[in-house]
Amino acid sequence: MEPFKYHVFVCTQEKPDGAPCCAARGAAPVLDALRAEIRNADLDDDVQVTTCGSIGLCERGPNMIVYPEGVWYSGVTIEDVRQIVSDHLGSGKPVARLANTNAGALKAEISENRRKAIAAMRARAASQTES
Ligand code: FES
């Protein structure tokens, strides 16, 4: 069941200690622009926007995923939002220049970032135990 034509998940995760994250890379103004552009395009009844936590591409944020196709957009700027709304959400044509198209590479990048995040957490825990 899909109550909306499109469901857009926008990562707004903040991370501590200067770690790369979508919040630090401008997710909030991109989210605001997305909501405004959807409203301007009169697509409110067709598009659901939901904020979410990290999707594992923290160094390339802001990131968003558009369903039902499962298009992963990275490095989205305020200027890009208008094209995503008009071309993808309005006309059904994903914006190729912003989309991650290699699922294997995407999964490998996310897995590597997960390994790095776990290692960093363990290092922080170890340093707190020592002090
Ligand atoms: S913080 Fe957004 S993908 Fe990790």
Side-chain angles (χ1 to χ4, degrees):
M1 183 198 74
E2 189 61 57
F4 294 93
K5 186 173 179 183
Y6 292 106
H7 196 165
V8 185
F9 288 87
V10 181
C11 176
T12 57
Q13 178 84 50
E14 288 184 57
K15 292 193 174 183
D17 306 323
C21 63
C22 289
R25 294 177 55 84
V30 166
L31 176 63
D32 289 345
L34 178 66
R35 287 180 166 145
E37 199 63 38
I38 287 170
R39 197 174 319 116
N40 291 342
D42 199 24
L43 292 170
D44 286 310
D45 291 339
D46 293 331
V47 182
Q48 175 76 357
V49 176
T50 301
T51 59
C52 67
S54 180
I55 59 172
L57 301 171
C58 318
E59 294 171 6
R60 297 201 287 127
N63 294 292
M64 62 180 68
I65 309 174
V66 179
Y67 291 104
E69 300 102 321
V71 176
W72 293 52
Y73 289 122
S74 293
V76 178
T77 66
I78 291 172
E79 293 72 31
D80 296 327
V81 165
R82 177 168 291 170
Q83 187 178 10
I84 290 171
V85 172
S86 66
D87 292 7
H88 192 162
L89 306 179
S91 303
K93 297 177 191 139
V95 181
R97 70 182 175 83
L98 298 171
N100 293 280
T101 56
N102 184 327
L106 192 63
K107 186 173 181 180
E109 181 179 350
I110 292 167
S111 296
E112 177 59 23
N113 287 341
R114 183 180 301 127
R115 277 191 286 279
K116 286 193 284 189
I118 290 170
M121 280 190 296
R122 286 182 176 150
R124 273 197 302 275
S127 71
Q128 289 170 351
T129 303
E130 292 169 4
S131 57

